Amino acid sequence: MRDLGAGFSHLIKGQRWVARHGKWFGIGLLPGLITLFLYAGALVGLGYGADDLADWVTPFADGWSSPWLGLLRTTLTVLVFAFGLFLAVITFTAVTLLVGQPFYESLSEEVDRAEGGEVPESGLPLWRELWISARDSVRILVRVALYAVLLFALGFIPVAGQTVVPLIGFCVTGYFLAEELTAVALQRRGMVLKDRLVLLRGRRLMILGFGVPLGLAFLVPFVAVFLMPGAVAGATLLARDLMGEDGGDGDDEDADDEEGEGALPASPPHRVND
Protein backbone atom coordinates (compact mmCIF):
# COMPACT_ATOMS: atom_id res chain seq x y z
CA MET A 1 0.00 0.00 0.00
CA ARG A 2 2.95 2.30 0.54
CA ASP A 3 3.74 2.19 -3.18
CA LEU A 4 0.17 3.18 -4.04
CA GLY A 5 0.56 6.31 -1.94
CA ALA A 6 4.00 7.02 -3.39
CA GLY A 7 2.65 6.83 -6.94
CA PHE A 8 -0.19 9.23 -6.13
CA SER A 9 2.29 11.53 -4.38
CA HIS A 10 4.37 11.80 -7.55
CA LEU A 11 1.24 12.75 -9.49
CA ILE A 12 0.42 15.55 -7.04
CA LYS A 13 4.03 16.77 -6.92
CA GLY A 14 4.13 16.97 -10.70
CA GLN A 15 1.04 19.19 -10.74
CA ARG A 16 2.49 21.39 -8.03
CA TRP A 17 5.79 21.63 -9.91
CA VAL A 18 4.20 23.07 -13.06
CA ALA A 19 1.99 25.34 -10.93
CA ARG A 20 5.21 26.93 -9.61
CA HIS A 21 6.73 27.08 -13.10
CA GLY A 22 4.07 28.82 -15.18
CA LYS A 23 6.23 28.97 -18.30
CA TRP A 24 6.36 25.18 -18.55
CA PHE A 25 2.67 24.85 -17.78
CA GLY A 26 1.85 27.12 -20.72
CA ILE A 27 4.22 25.29 -23.06
CA GLY A 28 2.70 21.94 -22.11
CA LEU A 29 -0.87 23.06 -22.82
CA LEU A 30 -0.58 23.58 -26.58
CA PRO A 31 -0.15 19.92 -27.70
CA GLY A 32 -3.03 18.86 -25.47
CA LEU A 33 -5.36 21.51 -26.92
CA ILE A 34 -4.63 20.39 -30.47
CA THR A 35 -5.28 16.74 -29.60
CA LEU A 36 -8.40 17.61 -27.60
CA PHE A 37 -10.14 19.19 -30.57
CA LEU A 38 -9.38 16.15 -32.71
CA TYR A 39 -10.67 13.69 -30.12
CA ALA A 40 -13.74 15.75 -29.22
CA GLY A 41 -14.89 15.58 -32.82
CA ALA A 42 -14.29 11.84 -32.96
CA LEU A 43 -16.23 11.16 -29.73
CA VAL A 44 -19.14 13.35 -30.80
CA GLY A 45 -19.32 11.37 -34.03
CA LEU A 46 -19.21 8.11 -32.11
CA GLY A 47 -21.95 9.33 -29.77
CA TYR A 48 -24.26 10.02 -32.72
CA GLY A 49 -23.42 6.77 -34.50
CA ALA A 50 -23.21 4.28 -31.62
CA ASP A 51 -26.94 3.46 -31.65
CA ASP A 52 -26.92 2.93 -35.42
CA LEU A 53 -23.94 0.63 -35.02
CA ALA A 54 -25.78 -1.32 -32.32
CA ASP A 55 -28.76 -1.74 -34.66
CA TRP A 56 -26.50 -2.85 -37.51
CA VAL A 57 -24.71 -5.59 -35.56
CA THR A 58 -27.90 -7.03 -34.01
CA PRO A 59 -30.27 -7.70 -36.96
CA PHE A 60 -31.16 -11.03 -35.34
CA ALA A 61 -32.97 -9.12 -32.57
CA ASP A 62 -35.36 -7.19 -34.84
CA GLY A 63 -38.23 -9.47 -33.93
CA TRP A 64 -37.64 -9.44 -30.18
CA SER A 65 -40.39 -8.12 -27.97
CA SER A 66 -40.07 -5.23 -25.53
CA PRO A 67 -38.17 -4.70 -23.28
CA TRP A 68 -35.52 -7.18 -24.49
CA LEU A 69 -34.82 -5.49 -27.82
CA GLY A 70 -34.32 -2.08 -26.23
CA LEU A 71 -32.29 -3.53 -23.36
CA LEU A 72 -29.91 -5.36 -25.71
CA ARG A 73 -29.31 -2.43 -28.03
CA THR A 74 -29.07 0.15 -25.26
CA THR A 75 -26.50 -2.00 -23.47
CA LEU A 76 -24.55 -2.48 -26.69
CA THR A 77 -24.67 1.28 -27.44
CA VAL A 78 -23.31 2.09 -23.99
CA LEU A 79 -20.57 -0.51 -24.36
CA VAL A 80 -19.56 0.80 -27.80
CA PHE A 81 -19.27 4.35 -26.50
CA ALA A 82 -17.44 3.14 -23.36
CA PHE A 83 -15.04 1.21 -25.61
CA GLY A 84 -14.39 4.34 -27.66
CA LEU A 85 -13.91 6.41 -24.52
CA PHE A 86 -11.51 3.80 -23.14
CA LEU A 87 -9.41 3.95 -26.30
CA ALA A 88 -9.59 7.75 -26.34
CA VAL A 89 -8.20 8.00 -22.80
CA ILE A 90 -5.30 5.70 -23.67
CA THR A 91 -4.49 7.08 -27.09
CA PHE A 92 -4.93 10.72 -26.04
CA THR A 93 -1.72 10.56 -24.04
CA ALA A 94 0.20 8.80 -26.81
CA VAL A 95 -0.92 11.25 -29.50
CA THR A 96 -0.40 14.30 -27.28
CA LEU A 97 3.09 13.14 -26.34
CA LEU A 98 3.90 12.57 -30.00
CA VAL A 99 2.60 16.01 -31.00
CA GLY A 100 4.41 17.68 -28.12
CA GLN A 101 7.56 15.53 -28.03
CA PRO A 102 10.10 18.41 -28.07
CA PHE A 103 8.14 20.41 -25.49
CA TYR A 104 7.57 17.57 -23.06
CA GLU A 105 11.14 16.34 -23.34
CA SER A 106 12.39 19.83 -22.43
CA LEU A 107 9.92 19.95 -19.53
CA SER A 108 11.14 16.56 -18.29
CA GLU A 109 14.75 17.71 -18.51
CA GLU A 110 13.90 20.81 -16.48
CA VAL A 111 12.33 18.67 -13.74
CA ASP A 112 15.49 16.54 -13.62
CA ARG A 113 17.58 19.70 -13.44
CA ALA A 114 15.47 21.06 -10.58
CA GLU A 115 15.78 17.79 -8.68
CA GLY A 116 19.56 17.85 -8.97
CA GLY A 117 22.01 15.30 -10.27
CA GLU A 118 22.56 14.26 -13.87
CA VAL A 119 20.18 15.43 -16.59
CA PRO A 120 20.14 12.50 -19.07
CA GLU A 121 19.89 13.16 -22.80
CA SER A 122 19.17 10.59 -25.48
CA GLY A 123 21.66 12.11 -27.91
CA LEU A 124 19.36 11.19 -30.80
CA PRO A 125 18.10 13.56 -33.50
CA LEU A 126 14.49 14.71 -33.18
CA TRP A 127 13.26 12.63 -36.13
CA ARG A 128 14.68 9.47 -34.54
CA GLU A 129 13.07 10.26 -31.19
CA LEU A 130 9.72 10.83 -32.90
CA TRP A 131 10.05 7.55 -34.79
CA ILE A 132 10.89 5.59 -31.64
CA SER A 133 8.03 7.24 -29.70
CA ALA A 134 5.54 6.51 -32.49
CA ARG A 135 6.72 2.91 -32.88
CA ASP A 136 6.57 2.23 -29.13
CA SER A 137 3.16 3.90 -28.86
CA VAL A 138 1.79 1.59 -31.56
CA ARG A 139 3.16 -1.43 -29.69
CA ILE A 140 1.52 -0.26 -26.47
CA LEU A 141 -1.76 0.51 -28.22
CA VAL A 142 -1.86 -3.01 -29.67
CA ARG A 143 -1.61 -4.36 -26.13
CA VAL A 144 -4.30 -1.95 -24.97
CA ALA A 145 -6.58 -2.91 -27.85
CA LEU A 146 -6.32 -6.59 -26.90
CA TYR A 147 -7.27 -5.76 -23.31
CA ALA A 148 -10.09 -3.53 -24.55
CA VAL A 149 -11.58 -6.27 -26.74
CA LEU A 150 -11.40 -8.75 -23.86
CA LEU A 151 -12.98 -6.33 -21.40
CA PHE A 152 -15.64 -5.40 -23.93
CA ALA A 153 -16.63 -9.05 -24.23
CA LEU A 154 -16.58 -9.54 -20.46
CA GLY A 155 -18.86 -6.53 -20.10
CA PHE A 156 -21.79 -8.71 -21.17
CA ILE A 157 -21.45 -10.87 -18.04
CA PRO A 158 -24.32 -10.00 -15.67
CA VAL A 159 -23.34 -8.01 -12.57
CA ALA A 160 -19.58 -8.59 -12.94
CA GLY A 161 -19.66 -6.90 -16.34
CA GLN A 162 -21.01 -3.73 -14.75
CA THR A 163 -18.87 -3.76 -11.59
CA VAL A 164 -15.63 -5.75 -11.68
CA VAL A 165 -14.90 -5.30 -15.40
CA PRO A 166 -14.98 -1.45 -15.30
CA LEU A 167 -12.65 -1.55 -12.29
CA ILE A 168 -10.19 -3.73 -14.19
CA GLY A 169 -10.55 -1.38 -17.15
CA PHE A 170 -9.54 1.62 -15.03
CA CYS A 171 -6.49 -0.28 -13.76
CA VAL A 172 -5.45 -1.19 -17.31
CA THR A 173 -5.98 2.42 -18.40
CA GLY A 174 -3.94 3.78 -15.52
CA TYR A 175 -1.10 1.33 -16.00
CA PHE A 176 -0.59 2.11 -19.67
CA LEU A 177 -1.06 5.84 -19.11
CA ALA A 178 1.81 5.69 -16.64
CA GLU A 179 3.91 3.76 -19.15
CA GLU A 180 3.35 6.35 -21.87
CA LEU A 181 4.17 9.25 -19.56
CA THR A 182 7.26 7.75 -17.93
CA ALA A 183 8.57 6.91 -21.41
CA VAL A 184 9.51 10.59 -21.86
CA ALA A 185 12.01 10.42 -19.01
CA LEU A 186 13.05 6.79 -19.42
CA GLN A 187 13.81 7.11 -23.13
CA ARG A 188 16.21 9.92 -22.25
CA ARG A 189 17.86 7.42 -19.92
CA GLY A 190 18.36 5.05 -22.85
CA MET A 191 15.69 2.50 -21.95
CA VAL A 192 13.92 0.58 -24.70
CA LEU A 193 10.27 -0.44 -24.41
CA LYS A 194 11.01 -3.98 -23.23
CA ASP A 195 13.16 -2.76 -20.35
CA ARG A 196 10.63 -0.06 -19.43
CA LEU A 197 7.87 -2.64 -19.12
CA VAL A 198 10.06 -4.83 -16.90
CA LEU A 199 10.84 -1.83 -14.72
CA LEU A 200 7.19 -0.89 -14.35
CA ARG A 201 6.09 -4.46 -13.60
CA GLY A 202 8.49 -4.46 -10.66
CA ARG A 203 6.49 -1.63 -9.03
CA ARG A 204 2.92 -2.26 -10.17
CA LEU A 205 1.25 -0.66 -7.15
CA MET A 206 3.25 2.54 -7.56
CA ILE A 207 2.37 2.65 -11.25
CA LEU A 208 -1.33 2.14 -10.47
CA GLY A 209 -1.19 4.76 -7.72
CA PHE A 210 0.04 7.24 -10.31
CA GLY A 211 -1.93 6.15 -13.36
CA VAL A 212 -5.41 5.20 -12.10
CA PRO A 213 -6.28 8.58 -10.51
CA LEU A 214 -4.91 10.29 -13.61
CA GLY A 215 -6.96 8.04 -15.90
CA LEU A 216 -10.12 8.83 -13.90
CA ALA A 217 -9.36 12.55 -14.10
CA PHE A 218 -8.82 12.27 -17.85
CA LEU A 219 -12.44 11.12 -18.21
CA VAL A 220 -13.60 14.62 -17.27
CA PRO A 221 -13.85 16.80 -20.40
CA PHE A 222 -10.96 19.24 -20.86
CA VAL A 223 -9.23 18.10 -17.66
CA ALA A 224 -6.67 16.00 -19.55
CA VAL A 225 -5.35 19.06 -21.36
CA PHE A 226 -4.68 20.97 -18.16
CA LEU A 227 -3.21 17.98 -16.32
CA MET A 228 -0.82 16.89 -19.09
CA PRO A 229 2.08 19.26 -18.21
CA GLY A 230 1.93 18.21 -14.56
CA ALA A 231 1.49 14.56 -15.55
CA VAL A 232 4.76 14.69 -17.53
CA ALA A 233 6.51 16.39 -14.60
CA GLY A 234 5.12 13.83 -12.14
CA ALA A 235 6.05 10.96 -14.44
CA THR A 236 9.63 12.25 -14.47
CA LEU A 237 9.65 12.16 -10.67
CA LEU A 238 8.16 8.68 -10.84
CA ALA A 239 10.86 7.57 -13.29
CA ARG A 240 13.57 8.91 -10.97
CA ASP A 241 12.06 6.88 -8.12
CA LEU A 242 11.86 3.75 -10.26
CA MET A 243 15.51 4.16 -11.26
CA GLY A 244 16.58 4.75 -7.66
CA GLU A 245 17.92 8.23 -8.38
CA ASP A 246 18.28 10.44 -5.33
CA GLY A 247 16.80 13.91 -5.45
CA GLY A 248 19.19 16.79 -5.06
CA ASP A 249 18.76 20.24 -3.57
CA GLY A 250 16.60 21.52 -6.45
CA ASP A 251 13.71 23.94 -6.09
CA ASP A 252 11.08 21.23 -5.64
CA GLU A 253 10.45 21.45 -1.92
CA ASP A 254 8.40 18.28 -2.02
CA ALA A 255 11.07 16.06 -3.55
CA ASP A 256 10.76 12.56 -2.19
CA ASP A 257 14.08 11.29 -0.88
CA GLU A 258 12.89 7.82 -0.03
CA GLU A 259 13.26 4.87 -2.32
CA GLY A 260 10.20 2.66 -2.42
CA GLU A 261 10.45 -0.86 -1.15
CA GLY A 262 11.52 -3.35 -3.76
CA ALA A 263 13.02 -0.77 -6.14
CA LEU A 264 14.93 -2.22 -9.02
CA PRO A 265 18.63 -1.45 -9.10
CA ALA A 266 19.65 1.34 -11.45
CA SER A 267 21.75 -0.89 -13.65
CA PRO A 268 22.89 0.38 -17.03
CA PRO A 269 19.88 0.15 -19.37
CA HIS A 270 19.84 -0.97 -22.96
CA ARG A 271 20.45 2.07 -25.13
CA VAL A 272 17.83 3.33 -27.52
CA ASN A 273 19.77 3.05 -30.75
CA ASP A 274 17.44 1.40 -33.19
Side-chain angles (χ1 to χ4, degrees):
M1 296 303 293
R2 178 184 178 186
D3 268 359
L4 275 175
F8 183 70
S9 175
H10 289 314
L11 177 61
I12 298 301
K13 288 175 182 178
Q15 301 302 325
R16 295 176 65 179
W17 191 94
V18 295
R20 293 197 300 272
H21 299 78
K23 168 188 172 183
W24 292 104
F25 178 73
I27 289 174
L29 281 180
L30 184 58
L33 287 172
I34 294 172
T35 309
L36 175 66
F37 284 118
L38 295 174
Y39 274 64
L43 286 175
V44 168
L46 179 62
Y48 277 108
D51 54 348
D52 292 332
L53 179 62
D55 293 345
W56 180 72
V57 299
T58 57
F60 57 86
D62 288 341
W64 289 14
S65 60
S66 179
W68 304 115
L69 175 61
L71 182 62
L72 171 66
R73 288 181 171 169
T74 298
T75 300
L76 186 58
T77 299
V78 171
L79 288 174
V80 167
F81 188 80
F83 178 74
L85 190 61
F86 174 82
L87 290 181
V89 171
I90 293 296
T91 59
F92 179 88
T93 302
V95 173
T96 303
L97 289 173
L98 188 61
V99 171
Q101 172 81 17
F103 305 105
Y104 291 135
E105 187 166 312
S106 296
L107 190 160
S108 180
E109 289 177 359
E110 191 63 27
V111 173
D112 272 329
R113 189 170 293 110
E115 289 297 301
E118 182 183 359
V119 180
E121 296 182 5
S122 67
L124 298 174
L126 178 59
W127 71 268
R128 174 62 77 175
E129 291 180 348
L130 290 173
W131 163 250
I132 292 172
S133 296
R135 182 193 62 190
D136 288 351
S137 293
V138 169
R139 290 174 176 174
I140 289 297
L141 292 178
V142 168
R143 289 176 168 86
V144 172
L146 293 175
Y147 277 108
V149 170
L150 176 61
L151 292 173
F152 180 78
L154 293 177
F156 288 97
I157 300 176
V159 183
Q162 293 74 50
T163 54
V164 178
V165 172
L167 179 61
I168 296 174
F170 284 128
C171 290
V172 171
T173 300
Y175 187 86
F176 285 109
L177 271 177
E179 194 289 325
E180 290 282 0
L181 289 162
T182 54
V184 177
L186 293 176
Q187 281 180 355
R188 289 192 296 105
R189 287 160 169 79
M191 296 195 75
V192 297
L193 176 60
K194 178 181 178 181
D195 291 336
R196 296 201 306 268
L197 292 175
V198 171
L199 183 67
L200 267 59
R201 282 198 295 268
R203 304 293 292 279
R204 283 189 180 90
L205 288 180
M206 181 179 289
I207 301 307
L208 292 176
F210 180 91
V212 172
L214 186 62
L216 291 172
F218 274 18
L219 293 175
V220 181
F222 305 108
V223 167
V225 175
F226 294 98
L227 292 185
M228 271 299 293
V232 173
T236 302
L237 298 174
L238 176 60
R240 291 174 63 90
D241 194 344
L242 291 170
M243 295 293 291
E245 299 174 8
D246 294 329
D249 297 325
D251 62 354
D252 190 344
E253 63 197 20
D254 298 309
D256 187 358
D257 60 359
E258 293 186 32
E259 293 183 18
E261 295 177 355
L264 295 179
S267 56
H270 296 294
R271 301 300 301 177
V272 179
N273 55 11
D274 57 342

